[in-house]
Structures are given as C-alpha cells and as structure tokens.
Amino acid sequence: MSGPEQAVLKAVWELLQTKYKHGHWDRVSSPAKLYKGRPVKPKNLGMADIVGCLHGQYVAIECKTEDRHSGNPDTRKRQAEWGADVVKADGLYRIARSAQDVDDLLKELE
C-alpha cells in the first residue's frame, strides 16, 4: 500500500475505532511471505483492507486514493472480483477514498 493510500486507511481506521467502535473491525494485510526462500502467495489476494461487522451486516472497505489509475492492474482485478463476491453474499463492499465515504456508508446502518 502506498503512502497516500496508507493515509486514507489510517483516517478510515480512526473513524471506525471512534464513531463506530460498537462494531467489530479488522485490518487485513498481505505481507510478502517466503517459504524456503521462495515467495508464497497469500490466500487473501484481493481482500479488502478492512473487514468487519456492524449491526449484523458484513462490511468490507478497500482504501484507495483519488488516482483511479494507480496500482497493479492484476491486483485491481482481484479486488473487484473479491468485492463482487462480498456483494453476492449480501455483504457491503465499498472503495473508500476518504473517511467520509465510510461514514456515509455506515450511517445507513445506524
């Protein structure tokens, strides 16, 4: 995750830990892993940056910058597929470019 995206993630996480602390939230990371000196692909490729539950509703949040063309195209494709799977399962999936995007989404659940 790049510096600007990290700033969005930090702002969203702070919102969730203050205004929506009555929900359950987890940050997801996919650090590079090595096994016997070789890279191993994590199972959660494409998974949202933050997942959680608010009032019984599963919520997945992917943090992005305003630059819609940044990042690896393969990663963007996996994220879109993962998000579509969440929606098919009646979960909420949003791409957040700011904490306000997340606040607007979660206000609907309050």
Side-chain angles (χ1 to χ4, degrees):
M1 178 173 287
S2 68
E5 283 185 4
Q6 187 68 32
V8 174
L9 176 66
K10 183 178 179 182
V12 169
W13 187 251
E14 185 175 310
L15 172 74
L16 296 174
Q17 296 305 304
T18 55
K19 187 171 181 179
Y20 298 100
K21 64 184 176 184
H22 53 284
H24 174 80
W25 308 105
D26 283 310
R27 289 175 63 169
V28 179
S29 63
S30 299
K33 296 181 181 182
L34 297 177
Y35 176 73
K36 294 185 180 180
R38 294 185 171 170
V40 177
K41 291 183 180 181
K43 292 182 180 180
N44 61 352
L45 287 175
M47 190 172 187
D49 297 316
I50 299 172
V51 295
C53 186
L54 183 65
H55 301 300
Q57 177 69 58
Y58 181 81
V59 180
I61 303 163
E62 178 64 37
C63 297
K64 294 288 182 196
T65 63
E66 289 296 327
D67 182 3
R68 289 168 167 68
H69 303 292
S70 66
N72 180 314
D74 186 51
T75 301
R76 288 195 313 263
K77 180 180 179 226
R78 289 172 193 250
Q79 289 169 340
E81 291 169 350
W82 194 88
D85 287 345
V86 168
V87 172
K88 284 180 198 171
D90 292 328
L92 293 178
Y93 175 82
R94 289 295 188 277
I95 294 175
R97 300 190 187 284
S98 68
Q100 187 62 52
D101 290 346
V102 175
D103 195 27
D104 292 344
L105 169 69
L106 297 181
K107 282 179 189 175
E108 298 172 18
L109 299 177
E110 292 287 78

